Amino acid sequence: GVPIQGIMVYPNPFNPGRYADHTKIVFKGWNSHASIRIYKLNGELIEEMDGNDMKEWVPSSDVASGVYIYVIEIQGGQRVFGKLAIIK
């Protein structure tokens, strides 16, 4: 499998109000198919995506400022968890 330390999620924190280049969040660093899920801290799923070595996410306008949990499940069963901050 891919090493956990190879996964990158940026920019984090995501702050589009302050930085003009914060237009999307990039998930990358694995070398096979993966599913990416983003949850609120209460466990509510807000986004689900698939990507083969990277994926870009543009949070919709109804995604509020806060801390979110991402889960990247790589083909073969390896899972990577992390926190993502969004500041609007």
Side-chain angles (χ1 to χ4, degrees), residues 4 37 69-72 79-83:
I4 298 272
R37 292 184 304 281
I69 303 294
Y70 63 82
V71 180
I72 302 172
R79 282 189 181 142
V80 178
F81 301 86
K83 289 183 181 174

Side-chain angles (χ1 to χ4, degrees), residues 47 57 85:
E47 187 68 52
W57 177 45

Side-chain angles (χ1 to χ4, degrees), residues 12-62:
N12 190 8
F14 177 70
N15 190 344
R18 185 165 186 188
Y19 302 105
D21 63 338
H22 284 204
T23 57
K24 62 194 173 217
I25 298 169
V26 177
F27 298 82
K28 66 184 280 188
W30 59 91
N31 56 11
S32 60
H33 187 78
S35 66
I36 303 159
R37 292 184 304 281
I38 300 169
Y39 297 91
K40 292 182 178 180
L41 290 180
N42 68 4
E44 179 186 343
L45 178 67
I46 63 160
E47 187 68 52
E48 194 164 12
M49 312 170 275
D50 291 314
N52 281 331
D53 57 2
M54 62 99 61
K55 186 68 185 178
E56 296 175 347
W57 177 45
V58 178
S60 63
S61 58
D62 62 343

